[in-house]
Amino acid sequence: MTRQEKERHALQVELNTAMQALHANEAAFGEAQDPLFIEQLTYQHAALMCRCRALLRALRVGGADP
């Protein structure tokens, strides 16, 4: 496996992990009752979405620096 393939694989693993965290965040949001916790989940969701977009962009262009 080449260095570029290893980097791409690492990005895909990181994207998968971020997507799992995003799904967990969405599930927690659906069950949340406390307004402060909902606000925290909202900010966390935004951060996870940004991370996923950065990883997708890196995979699309073939780079390893998301």
Side-chain angles (χ1 to χ4, degrees):
M1 186 181 277
T2 68
R3 183 177 142 256
Q4 188 176 19
E5 289 171 331
K6 288 179 184 178
E7 289 173 352
R8 184 170 180 77
H9 177 71
L11 287 172
Q12 289 172 332
V13 168
E14 188 174 350
L15 177 60
N16 187 39
T17 302
M19 290 298 296
Q20 288 174 355
L22 188 60
H23 291 300
N25 173 278
E26 291 171 352
F29 185 83
E31 298 174 5
Q33 299 288 324
D34 179 25
L36 293 176
F37 186 56
I38 291 171
E39 183 177 0
Q40 179 185 11
L41 289 170
T42 301
Y43 285 114
Q44 187 179 58
H45 185 270
L48 287 166
M49 289 294 292
C50 289
R51 186 66 186 147
C52 287
R53 282 193 298 269
L55 290 165
L56 286 169
R57 189 177 316 115
L59 284 166
R60 188 172 41 246
V61 298
D65 292 329

